[in-house]
Amino acid sequence: MPKHILIVDDSRLSRMISRQYVLRQHKDWDIAEAATGEQAIEMAAEKQPYLILLDVNMPGMGGLAAAAILRDAHPQTHIVLLTANVQTSVQVQAEQLGIGFLSKPIKESDTHAMLNNLESSV
């Protein structure tokens, strides 16, 4: 059964790249996109995604705030932060929320490694 993925980033280009990397490995997965943390929360409530790829810096609700809400509402969903902000404080907050972390610019090899890691842990 195909898994549902939610890609959240205010950059359309970043969403397109993330989509492409996921689909190269899993052509049958269903991917939805959101441009804000608020949209991500609404869409996750409807779709119950397997994985949420979530940018940290977005207008309105940022990725860390959205991740905290999403983690509480969807404890079984895998959440991975995508950010160019690789400060230790962001990584620590991600760890405290129990979510993954990938640095931007996102690389296809890192995306595939993350997906393989998620699938092997199930």
Side-chain angles (χ1 to χ4, degrees), residues 1 5-6 14 20 25 27 38-39 46 51 54 58 67 69 72 74 76-77 85 87 95 99 108 110 114:
M1 183 163 142
I5 309 300
L6 178 57
S14 291
Q20 181 180 26
Q25 189 166 349
K27 294 176 182 10
E38 293 88 351
Q39 287 177 344
E46 295 172 18
L51 168 65
L54 184 61
M58 295 181 288
I69 293 167
D72 286 342
H74 309 280
Q76 301 304 317
T77 297
N85 182 352
Q87 295 177 7
E95 288 175 17
I99 60 179
E108 187 167 10
D110 292 342
M114 177 265 305

Side-chain angles (χ1 to χ4, degrees), residues 54 63-64 67 71 79-81 93-101:
L54 184 61
L64 284 167
R71 172 54 57 231
I79 301 172
V80 176
L81 288 179
Q93 289 176 0
E95 288 175 17
Q96 289 172 342
L97 289 169
I99 60 179
F101 182 91

Side-chain angles (χ1 to χ4, degrees), residues 8-9 22-23 31 41 45 47 51 54 57 59 67-68 77 82 85 96 104 113 122:
V8 187
D9 198 310
V22 170
L23 288 176
I31 299 179
I41 292 165
K47 304 282 187 177
L51 168 65
L54 184 61
N57 295 316
T77 297
L82 305 175
N85 182 352
Q96 289 172 342
K104 281 182 162 182
V122 174

Side-chain angles (χ1 to χ4, degrees), residues 83-91 101-104:
T83 184
N85 182 352
V86 292
Q87 295 177 7
T88 303
S89 62
V90 173
Q91 293 176 353
F101 182 91
L102 282 178
S103 62
K104 281 182 162 182

